[in-house]
Amino acid sequence: MKRTATATACAAALFAAALTGCSDSTSDTAEEAYGSTPSASPSKPATVDTKSVDKLGAILTDEKGRTLYLFLADKKNKSNCTGDCAKAWPPLLSKGDAKAGKGVAQKLLDVTKRSGGDQQVTYNGHPLYYYAGDKKPGQTNGQALDQFGAEWYVLDAKGKQVES
């Protein structure tokens, strides 16, 4: 009985740490999840692509198939996600203008300057982000989450939020 209570307490502590973004590792951003650093200073232009995902249809991804999200608290071409928010939701950064991949309209792609000077990719005026809770390409664990003061959604190729 004591062992079960201890296991339950440990599981609850791990769950709470996951919800608050805490971890034992040295980094808790999407870079750990994908084995690369999607939000580090980029060395080339970012490419935005589309990928068909069950129940959501064709959604925006990066060139490696990692899901991209919009944040309802953002203003047109202006990110309102910094600090802890940007750790949980790393921005899609680009060196220079972003490129359109399969199914993406180049005319809807743009970049905007973040407060630190990095260039964040936007699509139809929405700054784009990864979700640190997505552990592999194609996952949409951030869909319809309400975090950091507003909801997060994947986008379709027209740059509109996709409802779950």
Side-chain angles (χ1 to χ4, degrees), residues 1 11 16 25 37 50 94-96 100 103 122 131 147 149 156:
M1 185 71 162
S25 66
T37 309
T50 59
S94 184
K95 182 173 184 174
T122 64
Y131 176 53
Q147 294 183 342
D156 65 19

Side-chain angles (χ1 to χ4, degrees), residues 55-56 140 142-145 152-154 161-164:
K55 298 181 184 177
L56 296 174
T140 57
Q143 175 66 357
L145 288 183
W152 299 81
Y153 291 96
V154 297
Q161 79 183 40
V162 176
E163 298 289 331
S164 297

Side-chain angles (χ1 to χ4, degrees), residues 1 11 13 15-16 32 35 41 43 50 69-70 74 78 85 93 95 103 106 110 123 137 139 143 146 156 159-160:
M1 185 71 162
F15 181 71
E32 294 281 314
S41 294
S43 60
T50 59
Y69 297 86
L70 65 80
D74 286 344
K78 170 104 173 80
C85 178
L93 301 178
K95 182 173 184 174
Q106 183 70 47
D110 203 354
Y123 195 74
Q139 288 188 324
Q143 175 66 357
D146 188 343
D156 65 19
K160 304 290 184 192

Side-chain angles (χ1 to χ4, degrees), residues 13-14 16-29 32 135:
L14 286 172
L19 288 177
T20 59
C22 298
S23 74
D24 297 333
S25 66
T26 56
S27 175
D28 59 355
T29 63
E32 294 281 314
K135 301 301 180 194

Side-chain angles (χ1 to χ4, degrees), residues 57-77:
I59 62 170
L60 295 185
T61 66
D62 71 0
E63 70 275 6
K64 294 181 181 177
R66 298 176 290 201
T67 302
L68 298 170
Y69 297 86
L70 65 80
F71 183 37
L72 291 181
D74 286 344
K75 302 296 181 203
K76 185 172 177 120
N77 297 314

Side-chain angles (χ1 to χ4, degrees), residues 81-152:
C81 179
T82 60
D84 287 342
C85 178
K87 288 178 183 174
W89 297 90
L92 173 61
L93 301 178
S94 184
K95 182 173 184 174
D97 292 337
K99 295 182 180 181
K102 177 188 74 178
V104 175
Q106 183 70 47
K107 68 181 181 180
L108 296 179
L109 272 175
D110 203 354
V111 292
T112 187
K113 283 217 186 233
R114 291 183 56 80
S115 58
D118 289 326
Q119 290 185 310
Q120 183 172 3
V121 179
T122 64
Y123 195 74
N124 196 28
H126 301 289
L128 300 177
Y129 305 87
Y130 297 100
Y131 176 53
D134 288 341
K135 301 301 180 194
K136 60 184 178 180
Q139 288 188 324
T140 57
N141 296 318
Q143 175 66 357
L145 288 183
D146 188 343
Q147 294 183 342
F148 299 97
E151 292 178 327
W152 299 81

